[in-house]
Structures are given as C-alpha cells and as structure tokens.
Amino acid sequence: MSHLPPLSLYIHVPWCVRKCPYCDFNSHQADRFEENGQLPEQAYLDQLLADLDVDLAYVAGRPIQTAFIGGGTPSLMSADFYYQLFDALREKLDWVDGAEITMEANPGTFEQEKFAHFRKAGVNRLSIGIQSFQPNLLKTLGRIHNREEAIQAVDKSRLAGFDNINLDLMHGLPDQSLEMALEDLQLAIDLNPEHLSWYQLTIEPNTEFYRRPPTLPEDNTLWNIQDAGLELLEKNGYHQYEISANAKQNRQAQHNLNYWRFGDYIGIGAGAHGKITLANGEIFRTRKTRHPNHYLNNLPEALSIKEAINVEDLPLEFMMNRLRLFEAFSLKDYEIYAYRTVPTQLFEACQRAVSLELLDKERFDEGIICTTEKGKLFLNELLELFINE
C-alpha cells in the first residue's frame, strides 16, 4: 500500500449553556466550570495543543483534509480562543488548499455576534443547531433560542461571510404531527442552506428523556414524516447522500464523507475519539477522557488511550461506515481506507448479500458495491453478513 487514508481533525468543546434532555454527547453545563463568569479557555487551549502533539507523533507530515469543531457548544468560546487555536493549528499542521473547516453553533444572539470572528479565524462552514422552529417543541427539547433567533442566525452567518451552512433539524419529536414536521422542514428549506441534517429523535441512555420518556409519534406517523420529508427535500434540490444528511449539488459535508468512508481522523478534546492508520498497517482508535476537569489535569492517561482494531473486524467496521452512505463504491476502496488487500471474507460476504438481493448483482459483477432498495430497508441484516465468526 502506497497511500494512507485521508486525514481529518476533530476538536471537541465540552461545554454548553444547558444540557438538553435528548443529548447523549459529552457536554457539561458551562456555569459549573466557570470562575468569575469565565470558562477556563486558556487552560483548555493549552491542553488541546498538548493533546494534538501526542497524536502528531502518529501522523507526522500527513495533511489535514477537513476539520470539525463539535460539542457541547463550540460557539460559547471567545473569538480570541479561536484566533489563538487556529494560529497554533496552522503552525503544527499541514492543510490541503481549501480545507473544509466546520464549527457547530447555536442560534442564540450571544453566539451570533461572534460569527464574523469565527470566519476570520479560519472557520469556513457553519453548522447551526436549530432542531425546530416551533416554540412548544423548542421548550420540550430544552433549547434556549426561539424561532426568530434561528432565522436571524442564518442571516447573520451570511453577513459574516459564510457561503457553506448546514442546519440541524429533528423530526419525530414529542407529539409532533406530519404537518408540524413538514412545516419545520419547509422553513429550513426556505432559509436556503447548502446542507440539511434532518434526523429522527431517538431516546438514548443516560439522557433525561430516557429517564422520563416523552410521548413520541406512532410508527405510522414516523414513517409518513420520513417519506414525505425526503420527498420534499428532493423536490427542493436537497439530495440524500447519507442516512440523515441531504445536500445541494456538490455540497456534501466533506468531513462526514471522510468519516463514513472509513478515513482517518485525529480527535482532540475532552471525550474526543480518533482513528489512525500507521504505515506498518496497524489501525487503532483513540479516545480522550470525558470529564473536562480530568482532561484539564494533564494526566497522561487522558491523552493516550489507544485501542487496536483487530484485522478480522475490519470488514465489518469498514462496511458499517460505508453503507451509511448512499454512494456506490468500489471494493478497491477497502485497499485505500482499510490499508490492506480485500480479504476473502469480505468478498464472500458481498456474494452472499448479492444472492439475498441486498446488493446489486450487475454492479457487483463490475466490482462496485451498490445497496438495493431492499438492502437499504434491511441494513442490519446486510451488516450481519460481514461479522467475523
């Protein structure tokens, strides 16, 4: 193998104003960590860069294709934090020309005032967490913005120079009807973002909704929302390229594409995960300690938790990622992203999937993996074929 997989960078900021009842991400209420009304920005910045230095030992010289700053609410941090961060990142890393750099942001007025600074620092794509435009649903979801602020956030981001915007929107919300879901979706479409992440609410363990489950729409309503919503998105030029992502032509999230194609990524920050391939063929995942105080204490184990991926498990790991995307792909992609030749196990599993009409036979004969409509409906059954026994 001559070329390692593409490399991305993920940066996690673990603080938010308030923990939403549906959220199972590594986020912590900011005021519990503040001193004199300020988050420990300098300490966190120093630790992020120390964290990066640890992982750089594994990826020296490889350019960064994309970056994503997630959370929590990254836009809570000051403009100065990001000026310093990106100055350091430009010194420590090589970047491809035009690298996509995304930041998650909330629509609140406080964050909007900083959009121009984020753009000047180096962020060129904004992902705005709207979730819903309806006051009652925003309250149920624990969101602290309102409908007007959501709309203003898109306007402010355009004025700040962003020409690549994603809106996060949820459906299948408590007591949400088909009409309510489509109204939300149409409002998002009318704001004309380049990308829409439209996904169904799921109740995850360790959340307030898990402890106190809300009343969700019935299965028939959920199915109708999904079916009608995807039709509305397609009609308006937002093509579905991933299970919960729709984009205008050539506006897919490049960071997400690298992730789902099984590319490599450095993950820094409290609770961040990474995947790294070495030239000797070793592939391992990294994870950083979750609690911000533990992360800030500069404990060595917070920065060097490594878990090797067994070679036998690679076909399943690869396919679990690739089949989330709707694009057809060559089996030879396995050689690029898993950094080894296609194993007999993977080829034979694909043959079984073809016989079960889960993969397209004609495309497979050409060396292309393409999920059939049946395969999309029975994705779990398709993935089970790639489990190493």
Side-chain angles (χ1 to χ4, degrees):
M1 301 296 167
S2 57
H3 298 290
L4 289 163
L7 180 67
S8 293
L9 171 67
Y10 175 77
I11 303 168
H12 192 79
V13 177
W15 294 292
C16 53
V17 173
R18 185 171 64 193
K19 184 81 170 178
C20 296
Y22 60 86
C23 178
D24 69 335
F25 295 132
N26 185 39
S27 59
H28 304 261
Q29 193 162 313
D31 59 12
R32 298 174 183 173
F33 296 83
E34 291 176 346
E35 292 186 10
N36 300 318
Q38 299 293 321
L39 284 167
E41 287 194 352
Q42 189 60 53
Y44 197 70
L45 174 63
D46 292 343
Q47 190 68 331
L48 280 176
L49 299 178
D51 190 354
L52 177 62
D53 285 341
V54 173
D55 284 352
L56 280 181
Y58 305 120
V59 298
R62 295 172 62 184
I64 299 296
Q65 309 282 330
T66 68
F68 194 100
I69 308 168
T73 306
S75 51
L76 279 183
M77 307 296 265
S78 70
D80 188 57
F81 173 87
Y82 286 108
Y83 285 128
Q84 292 186 63
L85 174 62
F86 277 95
D87 282 346
L89 293 177
R90 282 187 280 268
E91 288 183 5
K92 291 176 176 289
L93 297 166
D94 293 324
W95 296 81
V96 300
D97 291 339
E100 177 193 271
I101 301 174
T102 303
M103 177 192 287
E104 290 183 337
N106 276 348
T109 304
F110 173 73
E111 284 90 349
Q112 291 180 35
E113 296 304 318
K114 296 184 283 186
F115 285 178
H117 289 290
F118 299 151
R119 183 68 187 89
K120 187 176 180 181
V123 177
N124 54 28
R125 183 175 183 270
L126 214 56
S127 181
I128 304 173
I130 290 176
Q131 314 312 352
S132 177
F133 292 95
Q134 299 173 42
N136 61 319
L137 292 179
L138 288 170
K139 182 177 180 180
T140 300
L141 294 172
R143 306 298 288 172
I144 60 175
H145 67 271
N146 57 40
R147 171 182 173 140
E148 289 71 29
E149 286 176 325
I151 294 170
Q152 289 169 6
V154 178
D155 293 338
K156 283 285 184 70
S157 61
R158 295 298 190 196
L159 290 172
F162 286 98
D163 61 1
N164 196 0
I165 297 172
N166 168 66
L167 301 184
D168 270 359
L169 200 67
M170 301 173 76
H171 62 88
L173 301 177
D175 299 315
Q176 187 182 47
S177 66
L178 170 62
E179 292 72 23
M180 293 165 67
L182 293 182
E183 180 184 344
D184 261 357
L185 189 54
Q186 185 62 62
L187 279 168
I189 290 170
D190 289 344
L191 292 173
N192 200 31
E194 284 68 36
H195 189 283
L196 269 164
S197 296
W198 189 63
Y199 54 96
Q200 182 177 319
L201 170 66
T202 56
I203 306 300
E204 303 290 349
N206 302 315
T207 65
E208 183 63 26
F209 275 177
Y210 185 81
R211 291 184 287 272
R212 300 177 183 178
T215 302
L216 299 180
E218 295 181 352
D219 287 346
N220 283 343
T221 301
L222 293 173
W223 179 264
N224 290 336
I225 289 173
Q226 180 81 8
D227 195 43
L230 289 175
E231 182 179 346
L232 181 62
L233 285 162
E234 185 67 32
K235 176 183 174 182
N236 285 274
Y238 292 92
H239 309 295
Q240 186 179 22
Y241 70 96
E242 185 253 329
I243 289 174
S244 59
N246 297 69
K248 292 184 177 180
Q249 193 71 28
N250 300 320
R251 288 294 196 163
Q252 299 93 333
Q254 297 305 305
H255 186 86
N256 290 353
L257 284 177
N258 188 45
Y259 183 87
W260 297 122
R261 286 170 178 165
F262 207 53
D264 281 357
Y265 53 100
I266 302 169
I268 61 174
H273 289 242
K275 169 190 168 277
I276 296 174
T277 304
L278 301 182
N280 65 6
E282 179 186 357
I283 303 176
F284 60 87
R285 297 194 183 280
T286 63
R287 55 185 175 88
K288 312 303 166 68
T289 190
R290 290 173 60 85
H291 198 278
N293 286 344
H294 189 198
Y295 184 81
L296 288 169
N297 281 337
N298 200 28
L299 301 175
E301 63 267 27
L303 305 180
S304 58
I305 307 168
K306 293 172 53 182
E307 297 174 343
I309 302 177
N310 293 327
V311 173
E312 296 79 10
D313 295 331
L314 279 172
L316 176 62
E317 293 256 2
F318 175 78
M319 296 300 281
M320 282 180 65
N321 282 267
R322 286 308 300 250
L323 292 178
R324 186 180 174 97
L325 294 172
F326 290 166
E327 65 181 10
F329 61 95
S330 170
L331 260 185
K332 288 188 177 294
D333 283 1
Y334 186 87
E335 299 182 0
I336 299 171
Y337 290 93
Y339 203 58
R340 50 198 14 92
T341 56
V342 177
T344 302
Q345 168 198 352
L346 177 57
F347 186 80
E348 292 178 347
C350 288
Q351 287 181 314
R352 290 196 297 274
V354 168
S355 69
L356 295 170
E357 300 181 346
L358 301 175
L359 294 180
D360 185 276
K361 182 182 186 306
E362 185 174 337
R363 300 304 306 276
F364 182 69
D365 290 342
E366 300 170 348
I368 301 297
I369 302 300
C370 182
T371 311
T372 62
E373 291 303 314
K374 179 181 176 182
K376 292 175 184 176
L377 288 173
F378 296 96
L379 186 56
N380 287 339
E381 288 79 357
L382 173 56
L383 289 173
E384 286 176 0
L385 298 175
F386 300 96
I387 296 175
N388 179 53
E389 298 179 353

